[in-house]
Amino acid sequence: MTTTRELPFLGSQRPLVGRLNEMIRDARAIGPVVKVRTLAGDEAWLVTRYAELKQLLVDDRLGASHKDPAHRARYLDNPLFDMGILSDDPAVAAEIHGRMRSALTPHFSAKRMMALRPRIAETTNRLLDGIIAKGSSAELHGELSLPVSFLVLCDLLGLPDPDKFMMMLSTAGDVVDSEKAEGGRLVLFDHLLELVGYKHANPGDDLISALCAAGIDDDFITKLIAITSFSYLVTPKNLSAGIALFAEHPDQRALVVKDPSLLPGAVEEVVRMSKTSESCQPRYAHADIDIAGVTIKAGELVLCDHYAAGFDDRVFDAPERFDVTRSPNPHIAFSYGSWYCIGAPLARMEMQEVYAALFTRLPDYRLAVPIDRIPMINDLQLGGGIAAVPVEW
Ligand code: HEM
């Protein structure tokens, strides 16, 4: 029998761009659903195979409830993750989750997102003007991916100060010092509540104003905005992973430049391959589930690794090959079923706009360090992953 000390430890290895690290490969070699130790020190089931993950994502015995939240196994030691437990009753949790999706989804339609497209292009080009004016090298995570993502997020929500908001999210998302994170969470929620009050009085063409106009109560709006903002934080990491992948594979970039109709498919390929941090989604079983030869017991923590599933060679031919023409590409990096990412249309559009501008403005950019040496933050899920993408041209 496996003892706790022998369990693979999440976050114990440096993440890599465009391929899985040994820890995840080793865990997957043991089986599609394996026991691991989380960053918070607890035990969990890690799901890394495509078929099993898809099956669990539509299994209503798995969800966002726990009958004894105070004593549940934790993925990360951060109070925001406690918000992921919507109730101690599975039916109530499913109802709240459904309400949350119904409130947000209409505001992320492809049509609404199209209206943001010119602003995203304009913002990207303005940032690139500054980068190009400075010389022949840059750090594109800090100078492009992060600012463009935060400016777009603030545009979407109708927030006045991107730097202040980025700071608040980063403090509340700290997974090392839970007291600091709790302080940050309170400041963030006070700020959001104040903003909601302001938007009631001064509505604009933004998501917070639209949620106010829909008659949703202020506390729920605040939660929706926090969930959206934290979910959104994956976007700059994916953007940067793509910048690195296109630099590492100039032949693939050339294909897209030659035929821009390949760009949407290329973005899907980036999203499939963008695992650059411990980035699982925690769920809890509320009944025993037999799957892949193991029994997940009621109350146990299940970590859905959407990205590892994208490297499953039973579904993806040569999964570590970056292929902008890959078709079909049925990745589940945006999740699946009732958990499907609400912001996927925005993420796709933002990535398309940024890469299109980058290829036009800096057609010959290349990585200034080998792709395996790109600076990474190892073990912090919320702020973890790519820390810098140094390039030159
Ligand atoms: C490339 C970028 C992105 C990726 C890979 C991604 C991926 C995901 C994944 C895997 C989930 C499922 C989470 C879970 O099961 O708990 C999710 C949920 C969500 N995402 Fe995204 N996301 C991205 C960008 C965005 C953006 C830009 C937004 C909005 C501005 C957004 C908003 C959301 C929301 C609100 C949820 C919650 C859905 C639910 O609980 O039912 N995401 N995303």
Side-chain angles (χ1 to χ4, degrees), residues 15-18 237-238 241 273-279 307 376-378 384-386:
L16 298 167
V17 180
K237 299 178 204 181
N238 278 51
M273 295 185 78
S274 289
K275 182 172 173 80
T276 59
S277 65
E278 292 310 334
S279 53
Y307 284 114
M376 291 277 179
I377 301 173
N378 222 19
I386 289 192

Side-chain angles (χ1 to χ4, degrees), residues 97 100-101 231-232 235 238 281 283 307 333-334 339 341 343:
H97 183 236
M100 186 203 104
R101 289 190 69 88
S231 307
Y232 184 92
T235 315
N238 278 51
Q281 307 303 327
R283 294 281 174 272
Y307 284 114
F334 285 124
W339 303 101
C341 172

Side-chain angles (χ1 to χ4, degrees), residues 57 86 97 100-101 104 108 113 153 156-157 207 224 227-239 271 274 279-283 304 306-307 331-348 350-351:
L57 288 170
L86 300 174
H97 183 236
M100 186 203 104
R101 289 190 69 88
L104 283 175
F108 288 89
M113 293 302 107
L153 178 65
L156 174 82
L157 299 178
L207 180 59
L224 293 175
I227 288 166
T228 304
S229 303
F230 279 101
S231 307
Y232 184 92
L233 291 186
V234 200
T235 315
K237 299 178 204 181
N238 278 51
L239 264 177
V271 175
S274 289
S279 53
C280 304
Q281 307 303 327
R283 294 281 174 272
C304 304
H306 300 82
Y307 284 114
H331 71 76
I332 46 174
F334 285 124
S335 196
Y336 185 68
S338 63
W339 303 101
Y340 188 77
C341 172
I342 290 173
L346 176 58
R348 289 184 163 117
E350 190 174 325
M351 293 172 81

Side-chain angles (χ1 to χ4, degrees), residues 12 29 31 42 54 69 78 97-98 101 137 155 218 255 259 269 272-273 315 329 350 358:
S12 57
D42 293 334
K54 227 170 153 181
N78 178 286
H97 183 236
R101 289 190 69 88
S137 65
D155 228 20
D218 289 6
L255 285 177
D259 179 1
E269 182 69 341
R272 178 184 74 80
M273 295 185 78
V315 179
N329 188 352
E350 190 174 325
L358 186 61

Side-chain angles (χ1 to χ4, degrees), residues 209-320:
S209 300
L211 294 170
C212 291
I216 299 166
D217 84 65
D218 289 6
D219 277 339
F220 199 55
I221 296 181
T222 312
K223 287 200 180 92
L224 293 175
I225 298 304
I227 288 166
T228 304
S229 303
F230 279 101
S231 307
Y232 184 92
L233 291 186
V234 200
T235 315
K237 299 178 204 181
N238 278 51
L239 264 177
S240 287
I243 292 172
L245 284 167
F246 282 118
E248 184 71 359
H249 300 278
D251 57 324
Q252 297 298 305
R253 182 171 28 156
L255 285 177
V256 177
V257 171
K258 192 166 166 224
D259 179 1
S261 73
L262 293 178
L263 188 53
V267 164
E268 294 311 311
E269 182 69 341
V270 169
V271 175
R272 178 184 74 80
M273 295 185 78
S274 289
K275 182 172 173 80
T276 59
S277 65
E278 292 310 334
S279 53
C280 304
Q281 307 303 327
R283 294 281 174 272
Y284 292 88
H286 56 82
D288 291 358
I289 303 174
D290 292 321
I291 182 162
V294 303
T295 301
I296 300 170
K297 298 221 179 66
E300 289 186 329
L301 172 60
V302 177
L303 299 175
C304 304
D305 195 335
H306 300 82
Y307 284 114
F311 288 85
D312 190 336
D313 51 13
R314 292 165 206 199
V315 179
F316 302 96
D317 181 37
E320 292 190 351

Side-chain angles (χ1 to χ4, degrees), residues 25-200:
R25 284 163 185 264
D26 290 351
R28 204 174 58 177
I30 300 169
V33 183
V34 291
K35 269 276 175 79
V36 294
R37 181 165 290 286
T38 70
L39 293 167
D42 293 334
E43 286 187 20
W45 292 102
L46 179 71
V47 189
T48 55
R49 283 278 180 198
Y50 186 91
E52 286 76 8
L53 180 54
K54 227 170 153 181
Q55 185 183 329
L56 284 170
L57 288 170
V58 294
D59 190 325
D60 59 13
R61 291 171 295 176
L62 201 63
S65 70
H66 195 284
K67 71 173 181 341
D68 184 8
H71 297 103
R72 74 191 200 281
R74 283 184 159 75
Y75 174 37
L76 291 171
D77 197 7
N78 178 286
L80 281 166
F81 267 76
D82 298 344
M83 281 173 52
I85 302 296
L86 300 174
S87 169
D88 55 5
D89 177 335
V92 175
E95 184 275 322
I96 297 172
H97 183 236
R99 203 149 38 91
M100 186 203 104
R101 289 190 69 88
S102 310
L104 283 175
T105 306
H107 306 288
F108 288 89
S109 67
K111 193 170 156 219
R112 282 197 177 237
M113 293 302 107
M114 283 301 280
L116 285 174
R117 194 181 273 273
R119 289 273 295 148
I120 297 176
E122 184 195 306
T123 304
T124 307
N125 275 302
R126 186 163 36 80
L127 289 166
L128 282 169
D129 287 344
I131 289 168
I132 291 164
K134 278 201 295 188
S136 58
S137 65
E139 192 286 277
L140 291 183
H141 184 65
E143 294 178 48
L144 185 64
S145 302
L146 275 175
V148 87
S149 298
F150 272 90
L151 289 165
V152 171
L153 178 65
C154 288
D155 228 20
L156 174 82
L157 299 178
L159 302 187
D161 189 341
D163 289 342
K164 185 175 168 188
F165 194 52
M166 183 152 96
M167 197 68 84
M168 283 182 181
L169 292 182
S170 142
T171 311
D174 191 299
V175 292
V176 173
D177 182 342
S178 57
E179 243 173 72
K180 179 177 160 202
E182 176 56 8
R185 188 185 68 82
L186 294 172
V187 171
L188 175 70
F189 275 80
D190 279 352
H191 175 70
L192 289 176
L193 207 54
E194 208 176 294
L195 264 164
V196 172
Y198 176 82
K199 296 287 177 186
H200 275 299

